[in-house]
Amino acid sequence: MSPLLQIKPEDLFVDYSLDSAALGARPMVKRHLADLRGSFSDGSAYEAALAQGNPLIYEVTAVEPANGDGQLHYGLGIIQPGRIGDEYHLTKGHYHSHRAAAEIYIGLRGEGAMVLEDETTGETRLVPLVANSVVYVPGHTAHRTVNTGAEPLVYLGVYPSNAGHDYGAIAEKNFRNVVIATASGPALVERSAHLAGRPTR
Ligand code: F6R
Ligand code: MN
């Protein structure tokens, strides 16, 4: 069968919603606050927020039309606005299991940013992710998305089909920097500096 006919018709054309971030009728993976234990820097702010409830923080849906050399997968994400302490709502963040795999993120709605951290050196960039913009995520780079705005942040990520997700390294030592709200707007600060003087978990 030709490569074209191997793709299911429902994977050749997919509509999406900027309101719900649904991709067709596909199920959305939901990440609630309780799923993000260890992701936020301020442990007491996290526990206080969780005591109030377990809100939905973000959802993501992936479309995986085909696997193999040269094939692409993509995912639509939506992050609800809000903060835990002064740290903006965020995704878990990951490396790709296939470290060389790059990704592009296309901002569709809202205002946010991506934290990009080089695996070898820890060097970090904070890159805006807003509607009408594209962010390039190189291989070997941990990436996390944060919503710094007042409305949902919606974005599309496109990546090689063999990229995979590696959450282990982030679960173990998290990102080196955090994105927090300051009087002059969102700022990237070192996690160790952000935690200084605060009670830890
Ligand atoms: C795929 C990708 C995105 C994320 C999504 C959720 O490689 O980067 O589709 O999967 O933004 O973030 P995580 O996977 O870190 O929970
Ligand atoms: Mn990725």
Side-chain angles (χ1 to χ4, degrees):
M1 211 194 303
S2 69
L4 175 59
L5 295 187
Q6 281 172 27
I7 307 296
K8 293 190 231 103
E10 63 266 32
D11 287 342
L12 282 177
F13 175 86
V14 181
D15 58 281
Y16 64 82
S17 162
L18 283 181
D19 291 323
S20 66
L23 272 169
R26 286 167 178 74
M28 299 168 80
V29 173
K30 295 180 187 301
R31 302 283 185 216
H32 291 84
L33 188 58
D35 302 317
L36 295 171
R37 178 169 293 281
S39 294
F40 291 98
S41 142
D42 186 335
S44 38
Y46 176 82
E47 298 301 345
L50 203 52
Q52 301 293 310
N54 185 21
L56 181 64
I57 306 296
Y58 70 97
E59 294 161 274
V60 62
T61 309
V63 179
E64 302 177 346
N67 292 304
D69 189 26
Q71 302 288 358
L72 297 173
H73 290 177
Y74 60 94
L76 191 65
I78 180 168
I79 308 177
Q80 297 302 325
R83 299 196 317 244
I84 299 300
D86 52 10
E87 189 174 13
Y88 292 105
H89 280 182
L90 46 68
T91 59
K92 287 185 175 193
H94 59 271
Y95 291 97
H96 292 148
S97 311
H98 176 50
R99 286 293 197 272
E103 180 165 4
I104 59 165
Y105 273 65
I106 302 165
L108 299 174
R109 176 184 169 195
E111 286 179 24
M114 295 192 71
V115 182
L116 306 180
E117 182 176 313
D118 179 82
E119 182 171 26
T120 307
T121 64
E123 282 160 341
T124 300
R125 294 279 183 274
L126 182 66
V127 184
L129 180 66
V130 295
N132 308 308
S133 71
V134 181
V135 175
Y136 186 78
V137 180
H140 305 273
T141 302
H143 44 290
R144 164 175 280 166
T145 312
V146 299
N147 185 344
T148 57
E151 62 169 303
L153 175 69
V154 181
Y155 58 91
L156 187 71
V158 185
Y159 45 96
S161 65
N162 66 348
H165 291 83
D166 177 358
Y167 294 102
I170 301 302
E172 203 174 300
K173 63 179 185 128
N174 215 330
F175 284 71
R176 186 181 280 192
N177 293 274
V178 297
V179 186
I180 58 166
T182 72
S184 53
L188 186 76
V189 299
E190 287 233 4
R191 182 176 306 279
S192 52
H194 183 241
L195 282 173
R198 285 168 199 264
T200 50
R201 272 163 288 158

